Amino acid sequence: MTEQYLDSHKEEILRKGFTVINTVFSEDEIEKIAETIQKADTSAENFRKSEDLFAVRQFLKEVPEVKDLVMNDTIKFMIRTLFGERYFVVKSIYFDKPETSNWYVAYHQDLTISVDKKLEMQGFGPWTTKKNQFAVQPPLPVLENIFTIRIHLDDTDENNGALKVVPGSHAKGIYRPEAIDWDVETEEICKVERGGIMIMKPLTLHGSSRTTDGRRRRVIHIEFSDMELPEELQWSERMN
């Protein structure tokens, strides 16, 4: 994988708010990642289990053995080339949408960041707190700076919950789903192969449908930024 190859994907991210790159991880690498997750202790409160969804918040902290498998030399090269030299992890989540899942996600933007405490600060809010985890909507420039990498452990298409996105919506600021004008906007289904990745700006409007063909969908979601937060506020999951 070369810088020249990645240039077209960099342009697509700027223009559309997302891109898909397949064959990033080998079959052996994906198997090792899946086995490591399978062995994790799921009793911690950051592990969420239901019939429709298994999820792990603060994933790289809760399953530290997976970090070197996920953040391999290829991914590090892609981050430096596509994002910049100074980007670091600010959030990580693992999703497992089982074969029988009726879980769907309506169109939305990712508007919050994870931080270490709650502070009254101009431009930051509203706040939410779940199990001592603090999340806040920051000023727009902070959101515009973030990139998300979604690593797919399964083939994903419209039949097992692939993301639906509105191309170009990342460039329109805060864009409420109820304001989507489908006479102007288009919808694109982001099919990603097992071992492939999707890179997305969090302000890109996105959602997903229910699984209809009995195939599971496992995704590792990692967000990156190179911005320091103001005053005493810190990224709660910061990882270089």
Side-chain angles (χ1 to χ4, degrees):
M1 190 173 295
T2 64
E3 290 185 17
Q4 186 176 13
Y5 169 78
L6 291 174
D7 280 345
S8 62
H9 291 284
K10 188 172 186 176
E11 188 278 330
E12 189 169 48
I13 296 168
L14 291 171
R15 178 171 50 89
K16 298 173 65 176
F18 65 93
T19 194
V20 172
I21 307 175
N22 285 311
T23 62
V24 174
F25 291 86
S26 68
E27 182 64 26
D28 183 56
E29 287 173 321
I30 290 296
E31 278 298 317
K32 286 180 179 177
I33 291 170
E35 288 172 6
T36 302
I37 296 169
Q38 188 71 29
K39 293 175 183 176
D41 177 7
T42 63
S43 62
E45 62 181 13
N46 281 331
F47 289 75
R48 173 183 175 182
K49 291 170 281 187
S50 72
E51 291 183 0
D52 287 327
L53 184 70
F54 172 62
V56 185
R57 297 195 176 276
Q58 299 197 20
F59 173 63
L60 295 179
K61 287 187 175 182
E62 291 289 352
V63 191
E65 300 83 3
V66 85
K67 181 186 174 185
D68 289 341
L69 300 174
V70 169
M71 302 299 293
N72 63 17
D73 289 341
T74 300
I75 288 293
K76 290 177 181 176
F77 173 74
M78 295 175 74
I79 291 167
R80 291 194 300 268
T81 303
L82 294 171
F83 309 164
E85 293 284 347
R86 301 175 62 86
Y87 272 74
F88 47 85
V89 174
V90 296
K91 182 187 288 187
S92 59
I93 309 171
Y94 171 73
F95 300 100
D96 181 353
K97 195 173 182 179
E99 298 90 329
T100 57
S101 176
N102 283 320
W103 183 274
Y104 77 97
V105 180
Y107 265 111
H108 66 286
Q109 296 173 303
D110 292 337
L111 295 177
T112 63
I113 60 173
S114 296
V115 293
D116 64 336
K117 63 177 76 72
K118 182 176 180 178
L119 294 174
E120 294 304 322
M121 303 177 65
Q122 185 173 0
F124 284 76
W127 289 79
T128 61
T129 305
K130 293 181 181 178
K131 297 179 180 178
N132 294 318
Q133 295 186 35
F134 302 97
V136 64
Q137 183 171 323
L140 194 60
V142 177
L143 294 172
E144 291 173 335
N145 176 259
I146 295 172
F147 289 88
T148 300
I149 292 180
R150 295 169 57 91
I151 301 165
H152 284 246
L153 308 188
D154 302 289
D155 289 329
T156 308
D157 58 27
E158 65 274 14
N159 297 311
N160 67 331
L163 280 194
K164 306 177 293 185
V165 297
V166 179
S169 52
H170 69 297
K172 299 181 180 181
I174 306 301
Y175 193 159
R176 299 300 177 191
E178 60 271 18
I180 299 175
D181 183 352
W182 290 112
D183 291 331
V184 175
E185 306 289 11
T186 58
E187 178 180 272
E188 188 168 332
I189 306 294
C190 295
K191 299 180 182 180
V192 187
E193 297 173 4
R194 174 179 165 94
I197 68 172
M198 177 183 178
I199 301 174
M200 183 179 71
K201 300 295 287 179
L203 290 175
T204 306
L205 278 163
H206 59 284
S208 63
S209 299
R210 294 179 173 88
T211 298
T212 60
D213 65 357
R215 288 184 298 129
R216 75 193 298 190
R217 175 171 66 94
R218 293 169 295 172
V219 176
I220 298 168
H221 170 116
I222 308 176
E223 298 179 15
F224 300 83
S225 176
D226 68 351
M227 291 183 70
E228 301 297 344
L229 299 175
E231 299 180 27
E232 299 300 317
L233 204 60
Q234 301 291 330
W235 301 97
S236 65
E237 297 180 54
R238 179 176 180 145
M239 189 176 293
N240 292 331

